[in-house]
Amino acid sequence: QVQLVESGGGLVQPGGSLRLSCAASGMIFSIYTMRWYRQAPGKQRELVAGVTSGGSTSYADSVKGRFTISRDDAKNTVYLQMNSLKPEDTAVYYCNAVRGLLYWGQGTQVTVSS
């Protein structure tokens, strides 16, 4: 079955960086659009960034210029490099794969605090 496993979350000070990874299995990774979402306490889940099977990327306005999404099809992994982190980036970050069907990972917590 399809599995998406996120890693790389943690506690970081404002202005710091983290790199999230999402390792996929049980699917033909290269044909899927991969996305990162996040959900802060008391808020709706929101789309952060996406990368298509062809490598085109898109970002939420709130993270443009700070976050970079990338994929390594040889490793079946999508990454989210997060720089200049702010307290408002604190959330559980979820990996998502979509191509007709939709799959979600279990999430990884990112906390930005001094």
Side-chain angles (χ1 to χ4, degrees):
Q1 70 277 21
V2 173
Q3 276 195 314
L4 300 175
V5 180
E6 299 97 334
S7 61
L11 173 63
V12 63
Q13 291 187 342
S17 298
L18 282 175
R19 188 175 84 152
L20 305 183
S21 300
C22 171
S25 60
M27 58 189 280
I28 304 174
F29 179 81
S30 62
I31 67 173
Y32 280 77
T33 289
M34 301 300 297
R35 296 170 177 159
W36 286 96
Y37 284 76
R38 67 186 180 187
Q39 188 166 21
K43 295 189 176 181
Q44 288 191 328
R45 193 171 294 190
E46 63 172 349
L47 177 62
V48 175
V51 57
T52 68
S53 57
S56 296
T57 58
S58 58
Y59 299 92
D61 287 344
S62 59
V63 307
K64 277 181 184 175
R66 300 188 299 122
F67 290 11
T68 303
I69 189 171
S70 61
R71 64 189 299 157
D72 186 337
D73 290 348
K75 295 183 178 180
N76 287 1
T77 301
V78 62
Y79 304 97
L80 185 67
Q81 178 67 44
M82 306 186 294
N83 299 328
S84 301
L85 283 161
K86 304 175 181 180
E88 51 264 42
D89 295 317
T90 295
V92 178
Y93 283 72
Y94 297 91
C95 175
N96 165 284
V98 59
R99 183 180 170 89
L101 298 178
L102 189 65
Y103 302 101
W104 290 94
Q106 82 290 348
T108 185
Q109 175 70 48
V110 172
T111 302
V112 184
S113 175
S114 54

